[in-house]
Amino acid sequence: MSHVLHRMLGKTYPVAEGGAGVMLRDRDGRDHIDASGGAAVSCIGHGHPDVLAAMHAQIDKLAYAHTSFFTSDVAEELADHLIARAPAGMDSVYFCSSGSEAIEACLKMARHYFVETGELKRVNFISRRQSYHGITLGALAVGGRMKDRAAFAEMLMTGHHISPCFDYRGRRPDETAEQYGLRVADELEAKILELGPETVCAFVAETVVGATLGAATAAPGYFKRVREICDRYGLLLILDEVMCGMGRTGTLHACEQEGVAPDLMAIAKGLGGGYAPIGAMLVSKRIAEAVRRGSGLFPHSQTYVGHPLACATALAVQKVIERDDLLANVRRQGARLEQRLRERFGNHHHVGDIRGRGHFWGVEIVADRASKTPFDPVLKLNARIKEAAMERGLMIYPMGGTADGTAGDHVLLAPPFIIDAATVDTIVERLGDAVDAALGTVQPI
């Protein structure tokens, strides 16, 4: 009996023993294509020699020094690297150990900024339904994944939510994509006016929605309108690029493709590629300067902030991505992945939508394609697809609640940036077989 408290108590998990490139091997010697990067984490694959060498070198030099006493050369170098490539206006980086921690830091910095500038009434955060910003209490409070919030609702600060920008299920037949995007963006202004502009601290959004909606991209013009509204009423724009950022969508930051820059940004997953736990908050110059002119203090700290080993690891990962021009491969193989997914599932009776960008794609499964009716959530179809995929040596990221938070199923693909055309083809073939096998257990297809 395992003494590890696993995600699902009572479930027996295969034991991972090794990884190389896009493959993970279990104790029984079976290889699995990591087509989801774990949880969109393993951006350069497993066992990369350059990253392992950088980790060994850093351990030999310095593994840990608490940031109340020291900075480190590698933390400074990584911060310089990130800011040189960051969205316009970014000035500073706060390193932490996960995406949830990065979101917590963003929430506290947003509030702290308004404390420093004397706008003490700004306490409200607005986000979107069907969003996911992390599993800690602050992140749950601003997140819109209601099933995760339910058991802790009485403990959470009040969260205010507007509609997601979810074209497949939200756009009316009489709207263009642009009209739809502007309509749901304008819900932000309505919510600000409802709460009182002087009380709103920030709007929090995933640039491309990951786990809850399966790589749902925003409608054209949506984020530009959001940016305009934030500026009009003086609140901050916090972009959550924990899952969709750091090259996942074909540009280093997903917001580059939206033509906007945030005030605060959370990154993680692809930052360290899974080799060490690391996340970060990127802070705009105007926020950093306000704190410097004021108290000079960010009242937030955790034990492993700026961990030298984690920073060395992330720097090595980022250097590999840049040196090997892996973002070009993301764009190239991402186009092939989209093509192959549409060839395989475009006329499938139970695939309602195929959406995404770069190496970030979602396939939504429906009971009825014409009406977009989801399967009964009791069937746990997304979990069945995951099991069928694992049996075929394929790792995917499944999720339920896609349609309304309770019903709906999708699978998310987020393969490493290093994949080639042959691997893309194999991923789609195995996924197609897995989807059909899982559907065969719930109804004839």
Side-chain angles (χ1 to χ4, degrees):
M1 177 179 175
S2 173
H3 292 286
V4 175
L5 189 66
H6 291 290
R7 286 171 175 256
M8 296 180 64
L9 280 65
K11 176 179 171 63
T12 300
Y13 290 85
V15 178
E17 286 206 332
V22 301
M23 309 297 291
L24 281 173
R25 175 166 291 183
D26 65 26
R27 179 187 288 171
D28 298 325
R30 296 193 64 207
D31 287 328
H32 306 265
I33 298 175
D34 189 359
S36 61
V41 175
S42 300
C43 55
I44 63 169
H46 304 275
H48 197 291
D50 290 12
V51 180
L52 300 183
M55 294 177 76
H56 282 294
Q58 186 61 44
I59 290 173
D60 289 341
K61 182 179 180 182
L62 173 69
Y64 170 70
H66 196 274
T67 52
S68 66
F69 299 95
F70 298 99
T71 185
S72 66
D73 288 337
V74 71
E76 298 290 342
E77 186 179 354
L78 177 58
D80 290 345
H81 182 98
L82 293 174
I83 292 301
R85 296 155 181 79
M90 290 298 172
D91 174 77
S92 304
V93 185
Y94 177 89
F95 294 114
C96 52
S97 298
S98 71
S100 293
E101 291 178 32
I103 288 292
E104 294 286 335
C106 286
L107 300 179
K108 292 182 77 173
M109 179 57 89
R111 169 59 181 168
H112 185 57
Y113 168 73
F114 287 114
V115 170
E116 294 279 17
T117 57
E119 297 189 66
L120 302 183
K121 292 182 179 180
R122 290 190 182 267
V123 296
N124 291 315
F125 290 86
I126 302 171
S127 60
R128 303 183 293 189
R129 293 185 292 276
Q130 291 291 82
S131 61
Y132 179 69
H133 298 294
I135 208 68
T136 51
L137 291 176
L140 277 177
V142 297
R145 193 166 157 183
M146 298 307 173
K147 64 180 180 178
D148 287 342
R149 292 163 47 96
F152 309 99
E154 295 180 359
M155 301 170 59
L156 303 178
M157 67 178 182
T158 302
H160 305 280
H161 300 91
I162 62 174
S163 297
C165 191
F166 187 15
D167 188 282
Y168 174 63
R169 292 193 173 275
R171 178 154 62 104
R172 298 192 304 248
D174 63 338
E175 291 179 306
T176 65
E178 291 83 355
Q179 289 170 336
Y180 166 65
L182 296 179
R183 173 170 65 83
V184 291
D186 285 344
E187 288 189 23
L188 174 60
E189 183 172 36
K191 180 61 71 173
I192 292 168
L193 294 173
E194 174 190 326
L195 296 171
E198 73 284 357
T199 74
V200 182
C201 192
F203 177 60
V204 187
E206 298 162 90
T207 314
V208 178
V209 183
T212 53
L213 296 183
T217 58
Y222 173 83
F223 274 109
K224 286 187 176 180
R225 176 64 66 87
V226 162
R227 178 75 266 184
E228 291 169 1
I229 293 169
C230 289
D231 291 342
R232 185 181 309 151
Y233 294 100
L235 61 149
L236 302 181
L237 174 59
I238 300 173
L239 290 184
D240 178 348
E241 296 208 355
V242 168
M243 183 173 268
C244 66
M246 302 314 293
R248 176 60 57 190
T249 63
T251 52
L252 188 61
H253 302 292
C255 63
E256 294 176 46
Q257 298 173 58
E258 306 299 336
V260 300
D263 300 295
L264 296 164
M265 177 184 283
I267 58 175
K269 299 184 185 291
L271 176 59
Y275 288 87
I278 187 168
M281 169 180 64
L282 304 186
V283 183
S284 68
K285 186 173 184 177
R286 75 180 176 104
I287 293 176
E289 284 299 320
V291 176
R292 289 190 186 103
R293 290 193 305 266
S295 68
L297 174 70
F298 178 38
H300 178 71
S301 181
Q302 292 167 298
T303 303
Y304 297 117
V305 167
H307 194 282
L309 178 59
C311 289
T313 303
L315 183 60
V317 169
Q318 296 309 308
K319 285 182 175 180
V320 167
I321 291 172
E322 193 164 278
R323 182 199 67 199
D324 295 349
D325 198 15
L326 292 183
L327 298 190
N329 194 58
V330 171
R331 295 188 290 271
R332 181 168 54 252
Q333 299 304 337
R336 183 178 183 87
L337 180 56
E338 177 183 10
Q339 176 189 345
R340 291 307 314 277
L341 286 171
R342 296 197 186 284
E343 289 172 354
R344 179 63 179 83
F345 294 109
N347 295 312
H348 197 290
H349 293 308
H350 295 294
V351 171
D353 194 31
I354 300 163
R355 52 183 174 262
R357 189 179 290 164
H359 279 194
F360 203 43
W361 286 89
V363 178
E364 183 166 347
I365 312 299
V366 293
D368 180 75
R369 184 169 174 168
S371 65
K372 305 181 184 179
T373 303
F375 280 93
D376 189 330
V378 172
L379 297 172
K380 297 181 178 179
L381 181 59
N382 65 88
R384 294 174 186 248
I385 296 172
K386 177 184 178 181
E387 290 181 9
M390 283 289 283
E391 291 171 0
R392 290 159 175 79
L394 182 69
M395 295 165 57
I396 58 173
Y397 194 96
M399 189 59 62
T402 318
D404 59 11
T406 301
D409 301 274
H410 72 262
V411 295
L412 189 65
L413 296 177
F417 301 172
I418 60 174
I419 60 170
D420 57 18
T423 306
V424 169
D425 294 347
T426 303
I427 288 171
V428 175
E429 288 167 8
R430 293 184 185 181
L431 177 61
D433 291 345
V435 168
D436 287 344
L439 287 167
T441 67
V442 297
Q443 69 173 50
I445 60 171

